[in-house]
Amino acid sequence: MRAGVFRPDVTNVEPEQFERRLVGKKLRGTGRRGKITLLDFGDVVGVIHFLISGRVLRLRAWTEPDRINTAVLEFEGGLVLAFTRLWLGYFHLYEPGRVAEHPLISRLGPDPFSDDFTPEYLAKALNRKASVKGLLLDQSIIAGLGNIYVDEVLFAACVHPARKANTLSPGEIEAIHAATRDILGRAIELRGTTFDSYHDAFGETGKFQHQLKVFTRAGEPCPRCGAEIVKSRVAGRGTYTCPACQGAG
Ligand SMILES: [Zn+2]
């Protein structure tokens, strides 16, 4: 493999070292921790975090990294992937045994599909006065839930995002737990949610946007009861709810 990086602030090593540590390596596997993607190259692991609008593009041939294609990898067999718009994210290199020490990974709460994510865990984590939406967005409580999915989870669970989390009943916590696994599981299967121009490296868009029940659907009828979906602001984020199904918070 051949590799290059354009912006030094995108990675945690010198650009020459980035090249040197990846050259000749093979991709042995991929993984995910919360919203962080892991690329396993044997004695070095790529820790990649995309923020808004970061993406992977497939290029026709090797191109020197530049302002747009911030990091470029060419695999054996000729596949060239460019990690674009990385000024909003990063591509760090870590030793395999030290990935858990990465500042963002070490603070992550359990993955929704791990055995540690139980209704009991969630009840304890949510036993605070803050809004349930704010807490579900907190990556140290659950790894991997973003704004779109929190709104969909809380709609499925019939809980208003602005509810004080410590007022939730055990039944509501169980409903949030089940909806988190269900909705994230289906979203991953459908390759995520695509708005505007996002495509993955193979030109595919996600398909989960067709399954969204409330997110970006202000003014449309609630698919459960027919009341009008409204947009508000909770935890500093645009928030979509059905006032009839989810109450007023
Ligand atoms: Zn409704």
Side-chain angles (χ1 to χ4, degrees), residues 155 158 214 221-229 241-246:
F155 172 76
C158 296
V214 288
C222 165
R224 196 157 44 206
C225 76
E228 193 174 298
I229 292 165
T241 53
C242 169
C245 291
Q246 296 172 269

Side-chain angles (χ1 to χ4, degrees), residues 27 33 46 94 120-121 175 203 217 232:
L27 182 65
R33 283 291 283 124
Y94 266 65
E120 295 73 38
Y121 167 81
R217 304 216 182 279
S232 61

Side-chain angles (χ1 to χ4, degrees), residues 32-229:
R32 181 183 63 78
R33 283 291 283 124
K35 300 174 183 177
I36 293 171
T37 303
L38 302 174
L39 300 182
D40 173 13
F41 296 105
D43 65 352
V44 61
V45 176
V47 178
I48 300 167
H49 190 216
F50 295 108
L51 297 178
I52 294 163
S53 86
R55 65 165 91 164
V56 186
L57 285 180
R58 186 177 184 175
L59 303 184
R60 285 192 186 158
W62 170 262
T63 310
E64 286 301 323
D66 57 22
R67 288 171 53 84
I68 305 296
N69 300 317
T70 320
V72 181
L73 302 181
E74 179 176 17
F75 296 88
E76 273 180 40
L79 175 65
V80 181
L81 296 181
F83 296 77
T84 71
R85 304 185 183 180
L86 273 173
W87 59 83
L88 291 171
Y90 53 77
F91 191 139
H92 287 172
L93 297 183
Y94 266 65
E95 285 164 38
R98 308 196 64 172
V99 170
E101 295 168 23
H102 189 279
L104 278 189
I105 292 179
S106 67
R107 290 194 291 114
L108 286 178
D111 188 277
F113 300 103
S114 76
D115 293 341
D116 297 338
F117 182 65
T118 60
E120 295 73 38
Y121 167 81
L122 193 59
K124 235 184 240 173
L126 294 181
N127 190 18
R128 288 156 67 177
K129 280 189 194 156
S131 71
V132 59
K133 175 161 182 171
L135 293 176
L136 292 179
L137 285 172
D138 182 341
Q139 300 297 299
S140 71
I141 292 178
I142 308 174
L145 268 188
N147 195 37
I148 298 170
Y149 299 113
V150 169
D151 279 10
E152 293 295 313
V153 163
L154 291 174
F155 172 76
C158 296
V159 169
H160 195 282
R163 273 275 295 281
K164 297 261 181 294
N166 61 359
T167 68
L168 295 169
S169 70
E172 286 173 323
I173 291 189
E174 289 221 7
I176 292 171
H177 178 267
T180 298
R181 283 192 166 164
D182 173 54
I183 286 169
L184 269 192
R186 285 191 289 125
I188 290 170
E189 219 165 89
L190 292 170
R191 308 171 73 97
T193 301
T194 299
F195 290 119
D196 52 66
S197 61
Y198 179 84
H199 290 79
D200 69 16
F202 301 96
E204 299 278 336
T205 64
K207 299 280 184 283
F208 195 72
Q209 63 276 17
H210 306 302
Q211 312 257 326
L212 296 173
K213 301 278 198 285
V214 288
F215 198 82
T216 68
R217 304 216 182 279
E220 295 180 29
C222 165
R224 196 157 44 206
C225 76
E228 193 174 298
I229 292 165

